C-alpha cells in the first residue's frame, strides 16, 4: 500500500471512531483482535445497507423469500458441508517468536522482496506445492529461501499444519464422557442455514423453481491474519442468497446473478471504475464457476462479494448425511421428452456479500477531505462523508438559528412532522457553521435552518451536503422534498 493510501486508510479508521461509526471491540480492555463494535451512526449505516440489500432481494423479486436461521447448527451440518475437513489454511509457527503465519502469506511477502522474474518463479512453485498439499515440500521451500520471521529474525520453523478456521464451543451443561458429543461450531457462513431449510421454505412459501432464499446474519471465522480494520474480522455479518435452479440452467443463472449483483452496487451511485470481476481459475472441487466482485479499497482491489455456481453439492451432501430427501418435484414439461422434469436435486447459484466489507467500501468511497473558498473569498476546509442519501445514518438535520424567539418551537414541529418518515437530528448548540461541519462529518445529506424569516413567510433554508448550496423552501414542502431525494 502506498504511503498516501495508507494515510488515507488510517484517516478513515480514525474518523470512523471519532464520529461514532466503528469502535475497537472491548476497547476499555485494550480491544480484542479483529473484533469491532458499531457506534450510533455506524449501526444506522449498517442497518440501512442491510435493509437496502434485503429489500432488493426479497421485496423486489417475486421468487426470493427470506429466512433467519439459528447461528448454532447441528454439528453434522459442518461435516456434510466439508467445513470440518476442509475449512482450514496451512500454517507454520516460528519457534522463537511463537508467531503463526499463513504459509502462502509468508512466502508471498518474501517474494515481494525479489526481482519480478524470480518472484513469479517462486510463486509458481508455491502454487504447485499448495495444490498438491505437499507440506514437506513447502517447508523445504521456506528453508531453502531462508525466509525469516519478521519478529524474531530467525528461520526456526515448526512443521506445517492445517488450522481449522471454525470456532468451537460446548453445548449444554452436562459433561459428556465423549467431549466430542457436546461440540458445536459458531457458523462460518450463513449459507448452510438456507440449505438445511430448503424443503421447509419451498413447501411453506409454495416456491416454484427457479427461486431464491435470502438471509443476513453473523458468521465467525478464526482468521489467522486478521488486520485491515473491518475488512477481515473474526465476527462479521454476511448477506447471502442461494438461488435454486433446474440442472443444466445454472450457467445462465450464474451469468445473470454476476451482472445483477454488480448493478446493485452501481445502483447506489458507487463509481463503476472502482469495481472489477475476478474470475476464479482454481475452483473448489464442487464449484462449476465462481468469481469475486472486487472493489478498490484504500489498500487496493479486494473481494467484497462472491458469486458461485455450486452445482447440487450442498443439497446432495445434506441428503447423504441426514438421510432425508432434499429433492424438488418439477411438473413443468420437458420439451425433449414430452414428460414432466420430475424429481431432482436442484443446482445452486450463490451470491454472498460481507456486510462489513460493503460498509467499508461505502465509507472509504464517501470520505473526503475538501478545501474550498468561502463566499467572502477566504479559504476553508472540511471533512465530509458523501454517503449515498438513501444509506446515510441521519437524513435531515433540523437547526434553529438561535435558541430563542420561538425558533426552537418551529424546529420541534418540523421534527415531529418528519421523524416518523426518516431519521432526523435536532441541534441548537454552536454556530450554524460548526453544526454544518458536524453534519458533514457524519454524512447528513440535508440540513435545514429555521431563522427569523421563517416566522414571516414559513420558509426555511435547506443546505445540500455535497454542493454546500443553499436555497429556501416552504416548511410545508420539507418532508416531500427530502423523501423524494432519498428515494
Ligand atoms: P477471503 O478470500 O477474503 O478470505 P472468502 O473468499 O473466504 O474471503 P467467502 O467465504 O466467499 O469469503 O465469504 C463471502 C463474503 O463474506 C466475502 O466476499 C466477504 O465480503 C465476507 N467475508 C468473508 N470473510 C470475512 C471476514 N473475515 N471479515 C469480514 N468479511 C468477510
Amino acid at each position: 500500500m502506498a504511503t498516501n493510501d495508507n494515510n488515507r486508510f488510517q484517516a478513515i479508521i480514525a474518523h470512523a471512531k471519532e464520529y461514532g461509526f466503528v469502535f475497537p471491540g472491548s476497547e476499555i480492555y485494550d480491544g480484542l483482535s479483529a473484533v469491532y463494535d458499531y457506534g450510533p451512526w455506524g449501526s444506522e449505516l449498517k442497518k440501512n445497507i442491510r435493509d437496502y440489500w434485503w429489500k432488493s432481494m426479497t421485496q423486489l423479486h417475486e421468487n426470493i423469500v427470506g429466512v433467519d436461521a439459528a447461528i448454532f447448527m447441528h454439528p453434522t451440518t459442518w461435516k456434510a458441508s466439508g467445513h470440518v475437513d476442509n475449512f482450514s489454511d496451512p500454517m507454520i509457527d516460528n519457534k522463537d517468536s511463537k508467531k503463526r503465519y499463513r504459509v502462502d502469506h509468508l512466502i508471498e511477502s518474501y517474494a515481494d522482496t525479489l526481482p519480478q522474474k524470480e518472484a513469479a518463479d517462486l510463486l509458481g512453485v508455491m502454487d504447485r506445492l499448495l495444490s498438491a498439499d505437499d507440506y514437506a515440500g513447502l517447508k523445504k521451500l521456506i528453508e531453502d529461501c531462508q525466509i525469516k520471521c519478521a519478529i524474531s529474525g530467525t528461520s526456526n520453523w515448526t512443521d506445517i499444519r492445517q488450522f481449522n478456521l471454525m470456532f468451537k464451543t460446548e453445548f449444554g451443561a452436562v459433561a459428556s464422557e465423549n467431549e466430542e458429543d457436546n461440540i458445536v461450531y459458531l457458523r462460518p457462513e450463513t449459507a448452510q442455514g438456507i440449505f438445511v431449510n430448503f424443503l421447509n421454505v419451498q413447501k411453506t412459501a409454495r416456491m416454484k423453481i427457479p427461486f431464491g432464499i435470502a438471509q443476513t446474519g453473523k458468521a465467525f471465522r478464526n482468521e489467522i491474519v486478521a488486520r485491515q480494520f473491518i475488512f477481515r474480522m473474526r465476527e462479521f455479518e454476511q448477506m447471502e442468497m442461494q438461488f435454486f435452479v433446474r440442472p443444466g440452467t445454472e450457467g445462465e443463472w450464474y451469468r445473470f446473478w454476476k451482472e445483477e449483483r454488480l448493478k446493485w452496487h452501481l445502483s447506489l451511485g458507487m463509481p463503476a471504475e472502482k469495481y472489477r470481476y475476478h474470475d476464479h481459475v482454481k475452483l473448489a472441487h464442487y464449484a462449476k464457476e465462481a468469481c469475486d466482485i472486487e472493489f478498490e479499497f484504500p489498500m487496493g482491489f479486494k473481494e467484497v462479494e462472491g458469486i458461485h455456481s455450486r452445482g447440487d453439492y450442498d443439497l446432495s451432501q445434506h441428503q447423504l448425511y441426514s438421510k432425508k430427501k432434499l429433492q424438488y418435484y418439477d411438473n413443468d414439461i420437458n420439451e425433449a421428452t414430452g414428460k414432466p422434469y420430475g424429481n431432482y436435486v436442484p443446482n445452486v447459484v450463490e451470491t454472498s456479500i460481507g456486510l462489513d466489507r460493503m460498509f467499508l467500501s461505502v465509507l472509504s468511497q464517501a470520505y473526503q477531505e475538501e478545501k474550498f473558498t468561502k463566499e467572502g473569498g477566504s479559504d476553508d476546509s472540511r471533512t465530509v462523508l458523501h454517503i449515498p442519501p438513501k444509506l446515510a445514518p441521519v437524513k435531515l438535520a433540523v437547526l434553529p438559528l438561535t435558541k430563542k424567539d420561538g425558533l426552537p418551537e418551529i424546529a420541534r414541529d418540523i421534527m415531529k412532522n418528519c421523524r416518523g418518515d426518516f431519521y432526523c437530528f435536532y441541534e441548537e448548540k454552536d454556530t450554524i457553521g460548526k453544526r454544518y461541519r458536524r453534519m458533514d462529518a457524519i454524512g447528513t445529506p440535508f440540513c435545514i435552518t429555521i431563522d427569523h424569516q421563517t416566522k414571516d413567510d414559513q420558509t426555511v433554508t435547506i443546505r445540500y451536503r455535497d454542493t454546500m448550496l443553499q436555497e429556501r423552501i416552504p416548511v410545508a414542502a420539507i418532508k416531500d422534498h427530502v423523501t423524494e431525494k432519498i428515494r
Side-chain angles (χ1 to χ4, degrees):
M1 194 172 4
T3 318
N4 55 350
D5 292 340
N6 191 27
N7 289 348
R8 180 175 157 76
F9 195 26
Q10 293 312 319
I12 291 169
I13 296 170
H15 187 90
K17 183 173 172 213
E18 187 179 349
Y19 286 94
F21 283 84
V22 184
F23 307 129
S26 319
E27 195 188 7
I28 59 167
Y29 295 106
D30 296 331
L32 184 64
S33 169
V35 177
Y36 290 89
D37 297 336
Y38 287 83
W41 309 130
S43 54
E44 203 62 39
L45 172 57
K46 195 174 165 196
K47 180 183 78 56
N48 292 344
I49 298 174
R50 190 194 296 112
D51 288 351
Y52 184 64
W53 182 89
W54 186 258
K55 188 172 169 186
S56 50
M57 279 295 174
T58 60
Q59 203 171 320
L60 298 182
H61 286 103
E62 282 172 28
N63 58 351
I64 302 181
V65 287
V67 290
D68 183 4
I71 287 174
F72 289 130
M73 299 187 68
H74 192 283
T76 310
T77 309
W78 307 108
K79 293 210 176 84
S81 68
H83 283 81
V84 171
D85 291 331
N86 300 323
F87 195 56
S88 52
D89 285 326
M91 313 293 292
I92 192 165
D93 294 6
N94 183 270
K95 289 185 195 163
D96 299 320
S97 66
K98 309 273 183 275
K99 182 153 172 54
R100 177 165 294 164
Y101 294 87
R102 244 173 78 170
V103 167
D104 53 338
H105 288 177
L106 185 67
I107 299 175
E108 277 164 7
S109 317
Y110 173 73
D112 282 346
T113 65
L114 299 177
Q116 220 174 0
K117 165 87 177 67
E118 270 176 61
D121 289 348
L122 176 65
L123 294 178
V125 176
M126 176 186 83
D127 282 347
R128 198 166 43 70
L129 293 168
L130 276 173
S131 336
D133 290 334
D134 183 350
Y135 296 155
L138 281 162
K139 184 171 180 196
K140 185 159 182 309
L141 185 68
I142 290 171
E143 285 170 347
D144 289 349
C145 294
Q146 298 182 345
I147 298 177
K148 294 189 172 50
C149 164
I151 295 171
S152 67
T154 69
S155 305
N156 195 6
W157 299 109
T158 60
D159 284 341
I160 293 174
R161 285 177 303 136
Q162 287 283 357
F163 186 87
N164 196 293
L165 300 185
M166 282 197 293
F167 283 100
K168 277 183 197 168
T169 187
E170 277 171 51
F171 221 51
V174 188
S176 155
E177 281 185 13
N178 181 1
E179 267 180 32
E180 286 288 317
D181 289 351
N182 287 348
I183 284 180
V184 289
Y185 300 96
L186 298 186
R187 66 180 178 197
E189 62 176 29
T190 58
Q192 301 304 325
I194 292 179
F195 293 127
V196 300
N197 279 299
F198 164 69
L199 274 189
N200 282 340
V201 174
Q202 189 268 320
K203 289 195 170 138
T204 52
R206 305 179 61 235
M207 303 307 284
K208 230 175 134 354
I209 263 179
F211 74 91
I213 306 178
Q215 173 166 229
T216 70
K218 287 277 174 107
F220 304 83
R221 296 183 187 179
N222 201 359
E223 300 279 5
I224 306 306
V225 185
R227 38 185 155 81
Q228 298 178 324
F229 192 40
I230 54 173
F231 181 82
R232 191 173 297 286
M233 302 157 89
R234 295 205 163 99
E235 172 180 342
F236 58 100
E237 195 163 335
Q238 289 186 315
M239 308 190 285
E240 297 197 297
M241 194 279 296
Q242 312 292 326
F243 201 69
F244 300 90
V245 305
R246 187 180 290 152
T249 63
E250 63 279 5
E252 65 197 77
W253 282 112
Y254 170 75
R255 284 186 290 284
F256 172 83
W257 282 110
K258 189 173 161 179
E259 267 177 39
E260 190 74 4
R261 290 306 302 149
L262 184 56
K263 277 193 214 150
W264 180 85
H265 288 266
L266 302 183
S267 74
L268 282 165
M270 303 286 274
E273 67 274 14
K274 291 264 177 160
Y275 288 91
R276 70 181 189 197
Y277 289 117
H278 168 74
D279 292 311
H280 290 199
V281 184
K282 198 177 156 217
L283 292 170
H285 60 283
Y286 53 82
K288 297 193 168 173
E289 285 179 276
C291 74
D292 300 333
I293 295 179
E294 294 187 339
F295 176 79
E296 191 175 14
F297 290 97
M299 63 280 189
F301 272 101
K302 301 228 175 259
E303 169 178 349
V304 62
E305 172 156 10
I307 323 291
H308 312 122
S309 176
R310 304 174 66 109
D312 65 4
Y313 174 79
D314 305 272
L315 290 179
S316 295
Q317 284 291 101
H318 287 304
Q319 204 168 240
L320 189 69
Y321 278 77
S322 68
K323 303 192 177 58
K324 309 262 160 50
K325 275 216 155 72
L326 290 175
Q327 297 190 354
Y328 173 82
Y329 184 78
D330 189 340
N331 55 13
D332 279 1
I333 300 297
N334 180 348
E335 280 181 14
T337 62
K339 292 189 187 138
Y341 283 94
N343 270 318
Y344 56 77
V345 178
N347 272 227
V348 170
V349 176
E350 162 184 81
T351 73
S352 173
I353 173 169
L355 176 50
D356 311 270
R357 281 193 196 173
M358 183 62 202
F359 182 109
L360 183 58
S361 68
V362 170
L363 187 66
S364 52
Q365 181 58 31
Y367 181 89
Q368 287 299 337
E369 292 167 16
E370 293 176 356
K371 288 195 169 41
F372 57 93
T373 310
K374 284 208 294 203
E375 240 171 55
S378 58
D379 290 338
D380 205 348
S381 66
R382 65 170 183 165
T383 301
V384 55
L385 296 182
H386 294 286
I387 300 174
K390 60 171 133 263
L391 299 183
V394 176
K395 310 293 189 213
L396 179 72
V398 179
L399 315 171
L401 187 64
T402 65
K403 288 185 201 165
K404 48 187 192 332
D405 303 332
L407 302 187
E409 286 74 10
I410 301 174
R412 285 288 177 197
D413 277 347
I414 296 172
M415 284 290 289
K416 236 191 256 166
N417 185 33
C418 293
R419 69 184 345 159
D421 287 49
F422 42 79
Y423 203 122
C424 303
F425 183 88
Y426 178 87
E427 194 172 38
E428 53 185 35
K429 197 170 163 287
D430 286 332
T431 63
I432 278 291
K434 277 195 185 150
R435 284 184 263 169
Y436 283 161
R437 286 294 175 279
R438 282 201 290 270
M439 287 299 110
D440 285 345
I442 66 166
T444 305
F446 312 105
C447 293
I448 54 164
T449 303
I450 295 93
D451 56 17
H452 293 91
Q453 189 185 328
T454 310
K455 294 205 324 193
D456 296 335
D457 65 3
Q458 283 77 50
T459 65
V460 292
T461 303
I462 183 161
R463 183 244 190 204
Y464 301 100
R465 174 196 70 196
D466 295 342
T467 57
M468 291 191 280
L469 291 177
Q470 306 187 7
E471 62 176 328
R472 284 201 87 89
I473 60 167
V475 170
I478 298 172
K479 188 153 94 178
D480 286 350
H481 191 78
V482 173
T483 305
E484 177 59 31
K485 295 210 181 281
I486 58 179
R487 184 167 292 156

